[in-house]
Amino acid sequence: MRIERIELDGFGRFAGALWNLPAGLTVVVGANEAGKTTLLNAVRALLFGFESTREGRAWYPALAGGRRGGRLSLVTAAGERWLVERHGERGGTGSLTVRAPNGNTGGQETLDRLLAGADRELFTKVFAFGLGELQSMDSLSGEGVRSRIYGAGSGLGGMSAADLERQLRQRQEAIFRPQGRNQELNRLVARIEELRAQIAELETQPARYEELHRALAAVGGDRQRIDAERHEAAETAARAGRLVEAQVPAAELAALEADLAAGDAALDTLPAGIEAELVTLETARDAAAEALAAHDSAVSALVTRLAETTVDEALLAEAAEIEALVGERPLEAARARELPELRAAIDLADAELAEVARRAGGAPAWLLDLDDSVPAIQATRDAEARLTAREVERQRLNARVESLREALPAADPADEGLDAATVADRRAALRQLTELRMRRELAAAPGGVPRWAIILAAALAAAALVGTAVGLLAGLLPGALAGIVAGVAAAGTAASFIRPSSTPRRGGEQREGDLLAAAGLPPDADATAIRRADDALALAAATIAAGDRSREAEGTRASRLAAAERELTTAMAAADVERRAWEAWVAGHRLPAGCSPEAARAVLDLVPVARRAAAVAASARARCDAATVASHAFAERVDALLARLGRPAAREGLRDATVIALGESLAGARSAAERRRSLAAERADAERRRGPLADRAAAAAAGLDALLAAHDAPAVATLRARARAATERRELHARARELRARLAGIAGGEGRLPDLLASAAISDPATLQVERDEAARRVAELDAAAHELSTRAGELRSELARLEQGAELGARRQELASVAGRAAALAREWAVRAVALRLLEETRQRYERERQPRVVQDASAHFARITGDAYERIVAAPGEAAVRVEAATGAPRLTDELSRGTAEQLYLALRFGLIEQFARSTEPLPVVMDDILVNFDANRAARAAGAIRTLAERHQVLYFTCHPWTAELLDPERASTITLD
């Protein structure tokens, strides 16, 4: 991961500042109080929060204005871009927002995952350090840094294994200690022994308890038998479970052992450090050859310089101007480096402004002039709320209108042209006609009909109990009379015998023809026609009544529909007024026509972004113009000087080199003779020193050849390939041991492992699963039986308890059960923590033994490079905080036996090793250094600068310095140097 861009809204002396950083090395150079430390602390604050306040005042307040805080644009190794934004006026986390590549936002948990668990302590001591951290081993030997480095390498993130071990051990010792007296479990065990002694004295065995005791003993025997069966079933289930769990690792172990058997066993004898030794010898050979070549090149240069040394009188006449130009050259060089950065910043800011304007849908000038005040933004929210409310009301009223419209009937029910009075008259005529015919038939019947039969038939017919009437009268009357009554009842006219007719009678009875005409029937209508006519008239009467009720309800719904339509019209008019008001507001604020309140807010949110980009562009453009004017004046002076010296004008881009050449020529002209003597002496001295260098190069080459010969390797590549193959084979052996250990744990011991492997190889997974399920079912059944026996035993014990004399024995036994339960729970907790502690300790020790050498190996390579092979190796024994180094000649030395500069170089190499180890298993973090080379001599400073550049090939490195020579040492081309004014 690297920092792509730093933006500070306000922090210390910075306000509205922005820096774009490359992927590798960036050198930040500036004078004292230029803001280097402020920028370093700003990066720490944006990543890990603000420092605590001092004496009630904010640490690094926004002195130049702006909101305190800013943003970091981070790019992961996979190319994903994350934005970390943090603001706050006091110490602490402040307001944090982490924006993911997909646009989602998160907080502290998201940032912790992004930083792979690194916290402020780890970042400050290992990844961001200054001269103070290089002067002591304490910052690296602390348990927090070591545990987090090892935790990162083992996948534990920021968890401290040492802290976890300490917590487990403290709790374990608080529960139980051998020979202890004040621990919880020790006290409970002592109390159990006391209670048992007291119970033994209080217990009695009366004769009347014998029967209960025998029954309790029988229950206990049954419980033992069930427990034995349950144990056997549980063992069967456990065995099947172990075989199921062991099949996958057993298959992997078999495959690994087959691969190892098929491989080259001779590789097992190759030393583990052979590759590192090969790299060391090869590096020594190349360094010696490089030193000899550099020496020869220097001698050749001395000869050339000796031959070319001349005196130029014309230069002496222009000495004052040349010296002035040479003195101004660094400023011109700084301007030359700054101009591309300023132009790039202008282009970037202009492009950002254009992009923001494009997203807003207009020109940059229009966007910058928009009103993005809080009232304007609040106006969009208010308008959106009003429009939404109007639309919701319109939809509600529209749904109500549609519902009322659907409830209105399509047409009036049909009534065949008859009104209610006509239907009533016709039904009355039919009743009288039926009555007349019935009386006539009864009068003609032989023997007559009893009065009670007629009344009964009429009552049953009136109650719509036709079937009951027919059945009852059929048993009382002769066959002919029963048929008559049945006909009358079926016609539904029996009620006329007990209900008087409303039609006036003529001479006591109305004639049958007149009644047929009044009922709307022809004169020859039979009983069936009369019955059908009566049914039709009954239906018409019901239809007329239903129509009256429907018309009444329809009138009510019609009035409600009209009211709802009026409300809908009013709501639509109000919504139209709101829309026109919003459109007028949009036009008045020069926003795009037709945009919604939400779109308007989005446009207004882009205004501060555009203004920030415009401000950055304006500032950079002003600085660019000033630098351009100064550069033109410098060029004119150089060209005028060259013209006076009779030399051609310098081409564009070569004036800096021309000024340097003039300065060097002037110095040469002043002391040409002295320089020739000095050069001759240097040449003689260099020729004397060549012999030892040549011997060292030959010895280094011979050492490498001896290593190749010792391992029968024709070339370095061959030996390196064999070393890597041996490493892979050792990893296979380690994985096989790990699988065997895991399988031994499943089997219950190393001795049971062969049986487990053999059984796992021949067992069918489905069969094992069935066997385990059946055994589990049997265990459940036995548990139920055991529960029943426990219940029975409890009943027996309860009865025994009632027969016991006194309450003291029961109290003691109750206390014993309670204390024993607590002791059992604490014993289980102690055992679990003991196992966890042992596993954690063995895992951590094994990890340190196997992984620490890689860290120390990397650090040794860096230390040898920085010291010019004066020290060959760093030794750090597992579990020890002390570190010693082995020199090329002489006994090993501890850190307090080293000089201050060498000790700082050692701590720098160790940090490089820890940084590379951390990055092997997680996302690499940026490395920040603050002027750490000030105590190094020139040679070691140059080699350390080379090591820093090498580190920058794999990590982003930010180097802060106030020394121009350090900046040129790290970045000779000044391609990635940022100057703070």
Side-chain angles (χ1 to χ4, degrees):
M1 182 178 65
R2 67 180 180 88
I3 302 174
E4 183 182 47
R5 184 168 62 182
I6 304 173
E7 296 182 47
L8 297 182
D9 298 335
F11 196 89
R13 65 187 300 271
F14 295 115
L18 180 147
W19 295 272
N20 293 307
L21 305 178
L25 173 66
T26 299
V27 180
V28 181
V29 62
N32 293 332
E33 299 185 356
K36 301 184 300 300
T37 304
T38 301
L39 181 56
L40 171 61
N41 282 282
V43 173
R44 290 176 177 172
L46 294 178
L47 286 176
F48 302 102
F50 300 98
E51 292 283 352
S52 301
T53 58
R54 294 191 175 184
E55 298 178 355
R57 295 176 298 175
W59 186 233
Y60 284 105
L63 299 176
R67 186 183 178 190
R68 184 169 178 249
R71 286 158 294 281
L72 290 180
S73 177
L74 305 178
V75 180
T76 65
E80 297 177 342
R81 283 179 168 78
W82 296 71
L83 185 67
V84 177
E85 183 172 3
R86 192 190 299 267
H87 294 87
E89 300 300 327
R90 297 179 178 273
T93 58
S95 174
L96 172 65
T97 301
V98 181
R99 184 169 289 105
N102 59 6
N104 294 337
T105 58
Q108 189 61 50
E109 294 182 359
T110 304
L111 182 58
D112 290 342
R113 291 194 299 270
L114 180 62
L115 298 178
D119 58 3
R120 178 184 293 273
E121 178 187 9
L122 179 64
F123 187 79
T124 302
K125 292 184 176 180
V126 176
F127 291 90
F129 53 93
L131 190 60
E133 286 80 8
L134 283 186
Q135 294 176 354
S136 173
M137 185 65 183
D138 295 340
S139 59
L140 290 178
S141 60
E143 190 64 32
V145 173
R146 291 183 63 217
S147 61
R148 282 173 172 81
I149 288 296
Y150 288 126
S154 59
L156 295 176
M159 182 182 295
S160 171
D163 292 343
L164 184 57
E165 288 180 27
R166 183 168 56 253
Q167 293 173 9
L168 286 172
R169 185 172 290 106
Q170 289 175 352
R171 176 55 183 162
Q172 185 187 24
E173 292 180 355
I175 294 174
F176 175 77
R177 286 180 61 185
Q179 309 302 325
R181 300 177 62 184
N182 296 323
Q183 286 69 28
E184 296 179 50
L185 186 55
N186 293 87
R187 293 196 301 268
L188 291 176
V189 170
R191 181 56 181 165
I192 288 173
E193 296 300 327
E194 293 176 3
L195 289 172
R196 285 176 177 172
Q198 294 173 7
I199 289 172
E201 294 177 0
L202 294 173
E203 283 181 340
T204 60
Q205 300 292 334
R208 62 177 177 272
Y209 294 163
E210 291 182 359
E211 182 179 353
L212 292 175
H213 280 297
R214 283 195 299 272
L216 189 60
V219 171
D222 292 341
R223 178 60 185 269
Q224 290 179 357
R225 177 181 56 78
I226 290 177
D227 288 345
E229 293 180 9
R230 186 193 182 284
H231 178 74
E232 182 179 356
E235 283 293 328
T236 301
R239 177 183 174 276
R242 287 194 298 271
L243 289 176
V244 171
E245 183 180 1
Q247 282 187 327
V248 173
E252 183 181 356
L253 177 61
L256 283 177
E257 290 178 344
D259 291 343
L260 288 171
D264 186 3
L267 294 175
D268 295 336
T269 61
L270 201 64
I274 188 64
E275 188 174 4
E277 185 179 359
L278 181 62
V279 171
T280 300
L281 291 176
E282 193 175 12
T283 302
R285 182 198 63 184
D286 295 343
E290 182 181 353
L292 182 60
H295 180 272
D296 291 341
S297 177
V299 171
S300 177
L302 283 174
V303 173
T304 302
R305 289 169 59 193
L306 185 61
E308 293 177 352
T309 301
T310 59
V311 178
D312 191 340
E313 295 296 338
L315 287 175
L316 294 176
E318 298 289 344
E321 181 64 9
I322 292 173
E323 290 174 348
L325 290 174
V326 169
E328 191 177 345
R329 183 191 63 81
L331 295 177
E332 176 60 21
R335 288 192 291 267
R337 289 190 301 272
E338 186 182 20
L339 281 173
E341 296 178 359
L342 291 174
R343 295 189 184 103
I346 293 171
D347 294 340
L348 180 62
D350 289 341
E352 183 177 2
L353 178 59
E355 173 62 18
V356 172
R358 183 195 65 76
R359 289 170 57 191
W366 162 79
L367 182 61
L368 293 173
D369 199 36
L370 288 180
D371 178 14
D372 65 332
S373 63
V374 172
I377 295 175
Q378 185 60 41
T380 64
R381 292 194 176 95
D382 296 342
E384 183 176 18
R386 290 194 300 271
L387 289 172
T388 302
R390 294 298 184 185
E391 179 61 21
V392 170
E393 179 67 11
R394 186 196 66 77
Q395 292 178 359
R396 184 185 67 81
L397 292 174
N398 188 60
R400 183 181 178 189
V401 168
E402 293 298 327
S403 175
L404 291 173
R405 285 175 179 170
E406 292 176 358
L408 291 176
D412 294 332
D415 56 6
E416 298 183 358
L418 298 178
D419 56 12
T422 302
V423 171
D425 291 343
R426 288 186 178 185
R427 294 188 72 186
L430 283 179
R431 284 195 300 271
Q432 293 184 17
L433 176 63
T434 303
E435 177 183 351
L436 176 63
R437 287 186 175 184
M438 187 175 179
R439 289 180 181 276
R440 186 172 60 245
E441 290 175 357
L442 292 175
V449 179
R451 179 70 178 170
W452 59 268
I454 296 174
I455 295 173
L456 178 61
L460 293 174
L465 301 177
V466 177
T468 303
V470 173
L472 178 63
L473 295 180
L476 300 175
L477 301 178
L481 294 179
I484 295 172
V485 174
V488 174
T493 59
S496 61
F497 286 98
I498 58 176
R499 184 174 62 247
S501 173
S502 60
T503 306
R505 298 179 180 272
R506 250 191 342 233
E509 294 181 357
Q510 189 176 5
R511 290 183 306 147
E512 183 175 342
D514 294 338
L515 292 175
L516 288 173
L521 294 175
D524 56 350
D526 56 6
T528 301
I530 292 173
R531 186 169 59 252
R532 291 176 178 173
D534 188 54
D535 292 342
L537 290 173
L539 177 61
T543 302
I544 291 171
D548 293 340
R549 290 192 299 271
S550 176
R551 281 188 292 275
E552 181 180 357
E554 177 185 350
T556 302
R557 284 193 295 270
S559 62
R560 291 170 61 189
L561 174 61
E565 287 176 342
R566 288 193 298 273
E567 291 182 12
L568 177 60
T569 302
T570 303
M572 293 177 65
D576 188 59
V577 170
E578 290 292 346
R579 281 193 297 272
R580 287 197 300 272
W582 166 247
E583 291 171 356
W585 191 91
V586 168
H589 285 75
R590 297 187 299 157
L591 290 170
C595 69
S596 64
E598 181 180 6
R601 280 200 305 279
V603 171
L604 296 180
D605 287 342
L606 295 174
V607 173
V609 179
R611 289 175 179 169
R612 184 166 55 248
V616 171
S619 176
R621 190 171 283 109
R623 292 172 59 190
C624 183
D625 293 342
T628 302
V629 172
S631 295
H632 287 166
F634 182 81
E636 290 175 357
R637 290 177 57 194
V638 172
D639 292 343
L641 175 61
L642 292 174
R644 290 195 298 273
L645 294 174
R647 300 185 182 186
R651 288 182 296 173
E652 188 68 27
L654 297 179
R655 287 191 180 87
D656 186 69
T658 302
V659 172
I660 294 174
L662 288 173
E664 293 175 351
S665 299
L666 177 61
R670 285 176 172 173
S671 57
E674 182 61 30
R675 289 186 59 192
R676 286 185 65 86
R677 286 192 298 270
S678 176
L679 290 172
E682 288 183 32
R683 177 182 177 184
D685 182 64
E687 290 176 351
R688 288 192 300 271
R689 287 187 285 108
R690 189 183 187 283
L693 291 175
D695 295 341
R696 182 177 177 183
L704 181 60
D705 293 339
L707 179 64
L708 296 176
H711 294 285
D712 196 20
V716 172
T718 303
L719 184 56
R720 181 177 289 110
R722 291 184 61 196
R724 292 175 180 170
T727 300
E728 294 176 359
R729 187 171 176 84
R730 280 191 294 273
E731 291 175 354
L732 291 178
H733 278 299
R735 179 56 179 166
R737 289 192 298 272
E738 181 181 348
L739 289 173
R740 290 189 69 86
R742 177 182 173 187
L743 290 168
I746 295 173
E750 188 69 30
R752 299 180 182 178
L753 180 58
D755 292 340
L756 178 67
L757 293 176
S759 299
I762 64 175
S763 298
D764 178 50
T767 303
L768 289 175
Q769 187 65 37
V770 171
E771 182 180 353
R772 184 172 64 177
D773 294 343
E774 180 62 25
R777 184 189 62 76
R778 179 58 179 161
V779 168
E781 293 175 353
L782 292 173
D783 284 340
H787 177 71
E788 293 179 359
L789 290 175
S790 297
T791 302
R792 176 56 181 161
E795 294 172 354
L796 294 173
R797 291 191 185 94
S798 297
E799 188 174 356
L800 281 171
R802 288 195 300 272
L803 298 177
E804 289 177 349
Q805 296 178 353
E808 186 176 2
L809 179 60
R812 292 293 184 273
R813 285 177 172 171
Q814 184 177 2
E815 184 181 358
L816 176 61
S818 176
V819 172
R822 295 203 306 271
L826 286 174
R828 285 192 296 272
E829 182 181 356
W830 186 90
V832 169
R833 291 180 180 274
V835 172
L837 182 62
R838 181 61 179 170
L839 292 175
L840 182 60
E841 184 177 6
E842 289 180 358
T843 301
R844 180 177 60 81
Q845 291 177 357
R846 177 183 176 187
Y847 184 85
E848 292 185 3
R849 287 195 306 270
E850 293 180 359
R851 296 294 181 89
Q852 189 187 26
R854 183 64 182 273
V855 176
V856 177
Q857 178 181 333
D858 293 340
S860 297
H862 288 297
F863 191 45
R865 177 180 181 180
I866 294 173
T867 61
D869 294 329
Y871 294 92
E872 296 180 343
R873 196 159 66 100
I874 300 174
V875 179
E880 295 181 6
V883 176
R884 64 179 185 272
V885 296
E886 293 182 358
T889 59
R893 299 181 183 179
L894 295 175
T895 54
D896 55 0
E897 296 174 341
L898 301 175
S899 67
R900 176 177 178 178
T902 305
E904 292 176 3
Q905 293 149 21
L906 170 62
Y907 301 148
L908 178 63
L910 287 172
R911 277 178 171 80
F912 283 4
L914 290 173
I915 289 169
E916 292 178 349
Q917 169 65 17
F918 186 89
R920 286 190 182 96
S921 57
T922 187
E923 183 79 12
L925 298 180
V927 181
V928 185
M929 307 177 193
D930 189 5
D931 243 352
I932 61 172
L933 302 181
V934 295
N935 293 325
F936 294 12
D937 60 41
N939 292 330
R940 293 193 178 183
R943 287 191 287 268
I948 293 173
R949 288 194 296 270
T950 302
L951 182 68
E953 296 174 0
R954 299 180 296 276
H955 300 74
Q956 184 184 36
V957 177
L958 306 180
Y959 192 98
F960 294 85
T961 181
C962 61
H963 301 289
W965 65 267
T966 303
E968 292 187 3
L969 195 64
L970 290 166
D971 184 19
E973 302 297 331
R974 307 304 293 269
S976 58
T977 298
I978 296 176
T979 302
L980 296 180
D981 298 331

